[in-house]
Amino acid sequence: MAKAKVNGVEVEFDPGMTVLQVAELAGEEIPRFCYHERLSIAGNCRMCLVEVKPGPPKPQASCALPAAEGQEIFTNTPMVKKAREGVMEFLLINHPLDCPICDQGGECDLQDQSVGYGRGGSRYEENKRAVEEKYLGPTIKTAMTRCIQCTRCVRFSTEVAGVTEMGLISRGESVEITSYLEQAVTSELSGNVNDLCPVGALTHKPWTFNYRPWELSKTETIDVHDALGAHIRIDSRGPAVMRCLPRTKEDINEEWLTDKSRYAVDGLSRRRIDQPYVRKAGKLQPATWDEALAAVAGKVKGTHASKMGVIAGDLTDAETMKAARDLFYSLGVTNLDCRQDGAAVGPVTQSTPRESWLFNSGIAGIEDADAILLVGTDLRHEASLINARIRKAWLKGGVQVGLIGEPVDLTYDYTHIGAGPKAVKDFKKHAFRDVLKTAKRPAVLVGSSAINGEDGAAVLRDIADIADTYGVLKDGWNGFNIVHTAASRVAGLDLGFVPVGEALDASQMIKGGVDLLFLLGADEFNPKDLGKTFVVYIGSHGDAGASAADIILPGAAYTEKSGIYTNLEGRVQIAERCVFPKGQAKEDWAILRALSALVDKTLPYDSLSQLREKLITDHPVFGRIDVRPAPKAFDLRSVGQKGEVRDRVFTSPIVDFYMTNPIARASVAMAECSASRRGNVPAAAE
């Protein structure tokens, strides 16, 4: 390895590293504004100046200077100190002194670095420049007079998000950052530019003037708005969740987060169910817990097991599904399902391997694929951060992508092979077969639109045949991937929360197949389909399930309980409680435990720790916390079932990215994002 000296300390470094990176290896802190390790190098701000020998006797930008063998790097000489003070003075020339009203206050790189590396005062006496504000959408609040043109936002939107809608206009002192025709940024990752902005020119519009960072209690937890299980931090003040920020997790979300995961948190305080309700004379009336549970128990005792069913919603934690499965199996009920969308995937038989419903390549591992076939998935809206990783690999020029399904904008080029099952059947006739065949690490990504419906199992069988024929499973590589959209899905499949034998699935139960139906936060259906079915809803929000319910038992949202979720790659993760449930609401598993005593089938656990012990004992996979399963070969012939397929188009079930669950639908921020994406811009923004 090459060697260089940093302030007299010898450091080994890899070829291709910059002087800034080498200095950080030696433990030296280099100030910067424009440099970011996940974005291309711009060299705009000049804050990272260092002195380098051999070289000209002047400060040099360390972020853009390649490190070389034998270099001597100095980060604390008088020349460097004076240069940094001069750069900071220039950056502050036009910056307004509005820290008391800036939402970046307390978390501002400019504040921190001006104290650490700036002068004690300013020599600038002329008038400051002012810049008009820009409309960048419902997630980004602008104060462009603060902007120092570091271009982090431009590089992120272009390189990572894949929307070339931001850039610099004009020259010299008149230069400004704006969006194309000053329209909203149409990216589901737009909120990340607010995190990247080092000076408060871009801040989070939904949270404007709502808090100061030092007021908030911080809890590290897991996101449940999709199946990726992104690592997040929930910041709360008293009983209220104020904001959600991403945490760095290289294997899952790097340091990015979707706008839905980030801004839907205001929905946690709206449309909440905070006490039990019982329908009397056609109207839901408030009730006590004893009254509501007694009514449910009476209904259970008076209904035959074959006429009862349970559907787990997309945000349901593993403990709740375990308690429900134990309780209803003890009652003889086998009509259980965790697949609201009807996806034909899961342990239908004991011989079906776990790998048949996992994202086996791993979220980070998909970057290693050199050929990718997408089947029935709008990946940009079903798994935005996986889509961003594929874009990253595509920009490097190492991957070719094919799509079977409805044509969509995925932010990278792809070959459109066909629209539905016919294209799957005829795949061997398409030229993309050669791309898949010659690839060293081919991958197939299967979305729910391909495998839901009556012919879903047959379509899955045909997709598995493609994977088998073209070598998607190889030594050390498993490229067969199911793209789930529900946080609860993999844990439910691992638990066996699916119908067995002659039991009814979710669609059959919703369409009148049972007399008594329990909905565990299940809301993704048309309430009119239920007919005269008696519905018990256990959940946190007044959404479709609650509107159709005869009895409502208030549950806890994901920030109000500690729960286990398994992400789409099979990684078991624990979401921690950040605040307490609203009003009289209880944790969902505790509601089922109380009900079990009233129906004379008392569950054998009285605390969450006892429930988890039972969960791990019965299903050891839940004991491996934050461990991604190693790539494992399996028999692709065990996936799906042979049968006839119908002629259709694989259309994504996500009609509106911002309105996919009860929390998002209760969110004002998500309503504004949805309206903006449809072109209905609020008058104030025009």
Side-chain angles (χ1 to χ4, degrees), residues 199-276:
V199 299
L202 307 178
T203 54
H204 301 281
K205 185 179 286 187
W207 307 333
T208 302
F209 305 141
N210 280 359
Y211 60 83
R212 283 298 193 181
W214 53 84
E215 300 175 325
L216 307 178
S217 299
K218 302 169 177 61
T219 307
E220 295 184 348
T221 184
I222 302 298
D223 174 53
V224 301
H225 286 276
D226 55 29
L228 270 70
H231 283 222
I232 59 173
R233 193 187 81 199
I234 293 291
D235 290 358
S236 57
R237 185 174 60 199
V241 172
M242 302 303 294
R243 67 178 182 178
C244 171
L245 298 174
R247 291 187 288 134
T248 300
K249 181 65 173 178
E250 296 294 344
D251 291 342
I252 301 177
N253 58 303
E254 297 179 291
E255 61 183 80
W256 314 128
L257 197 61
T258 67
D259 291 348
K260 179 169 56 181
S261 300
R262 184 190 298 269
Y263 296 119
V265 291
D266 68 315
L268 291 166
S269 60
R270 295 182 169 91
R271 301 185 191 172
R272 290 303 302 268
I273 303 170
D274 58 1
Q275 68 179 84

Side-chain angles (χ1 to χ4, degrees), residues 33-36 39-45 144 147-159 166-169 175-178 193 196-199 201-202:
F33 291 113
C34 68
Y35 175 79
H36 192 279
L39 304 176
S40 61
I41 294 172
N44 291 344
C45 72
M144 301 310 291
C147 180
I148 62 169
Q149 291 84 45
C150 71
T151 69
R152 280 186 178 186
C153 54
V154 176
R155 285 175 284 150
F156 174 84
S157 61
T158 302
E159 298 166 11
M166 294 186 69
L168 282 165
I169 59 171
V175 71
E176 297 180 24
I177 284 180
T178 185
V193 302
L196 289 170
C197 183
V199 299
L202 307 178

Side-chain angles (χ1 to χ4, degrees), residues 382-554:
E382 294 176 19
S384 305
L385 296 176
I386 294 179
N387 194 68
R389 286 186 181 269
I390 294 178
R391 174 174 171 78
K392 185 198 300 187
W394 174 77
L395 285 173
K396 294 177 181 177
V399 64
Q400 295 186 63
V401 182
L403 172 67
I404 299 177
E406 186 179 37
V408 289
D409 179 10
L410 294 176
T411 72
Y412 44 81
D413 295 337
Y414 61 83
T415 300
H416 188 242
I417 299 168
K422 187 178 186 300
V424 176
K425 283 280 190 184
D426 297 339
F427 179 76
K428 61 181 179 295
K429 299 177 183 178
H430 196 277
F432 197 80
R433 73 184 187 283
D434 296 328
V435 175
L436 214 60
K437 186 175 182 179
T438 57
K440 294 181 180 179
R441 292 178 300 278
V444 174
L445 277 61
V446 185
S448 60
S449 66
I451 56 177
N452 58 15
E454 296 178 358
D455 63 345
V459 174
L460 182 59
R461 170 72 266 169
D462 292 340
I463 298 170
D465 285 341
I466 293 175
D468 193 25
T469 302
Y470 295 98
V472 169
L473 269 64
K474 299 183 178 182
D475 290 341
W477 175 257
N478 185 338
F480 184 79
N481 303 296
I482 303 295
V483 181
H484 297 291
T485 57
S488 64
R489 185 63 50 80
V490 173
L493 297 174
D494 288 342
L495 282 166
F497 204 94
V498 292
V500 178
E502 299 298 320
L504 305 178
D505 62 22
S507 62
Q508 292 170 319
M509 286 186 270
I510 288 171
K511 293 178 180 178
V514 294
D515 295 335
L516 174 58
L517 179 61
F518 284 79
L519 299 176
L520 306 180
D523 296 274
E524 312 309 316
F525 63 91
N526 186 347
K528 294 180 180 178
D529 292 340
L530 289 167
K532 297 181 179 180
T533 304
F534 192 93
V535 176
V536 177
Y537 182 78
I538 302 175
S540 59
H541 282 71
D543 206 80
S547 69
D550 296 283
I551 299 176
I552 297 176
L553 305 177

Side-chain angles (χ1 to χ4, degrees), residues 129-211:
R129 180 184 76 146
V131 181
E132 286 186 2
E133 305 308 342
K134 307 293 189 294
Y135 174 69
L136 298 179
T139 64
I140 305 171
K141 181 180 185 296
T142 64
M144 301 310 291
T145 302
R146 302 172 187 158
C147 180
I148 62 169
Q149 291 84 45
C150 71
T151 69
R152 280 186 178 186
C153 54
V154 176
R155 285 175 284 150
F156 174 84
S157 61
T158 302
E159 298 166 11
V160 180
V163 291
T164 54
E165 298 172 348
M166 294 186 69
L168 282 165
I169 59 171
S170 302
R171 301 179 66 185
E173 189 184 33
S174 299
V175 71
E176 297 180 24
I177 284 180
T178 185
S179 63
Y180 181 67
L181 297 180
E182 298 194 13
Q183 297 297 306
V185 177
T186 59
S187 172
E188 57 287 340
L189 302 174
S190 66
N192 292 289
V193 302
N194 301 324
D195 289 343
L196 289 170
C197 183
V199 299
L202 307 178
T203 54
H204 301 281
K205 185 179 286 187
W207 307 333
T208 302
F209 305 141
N210 280 359
Y211 60 83

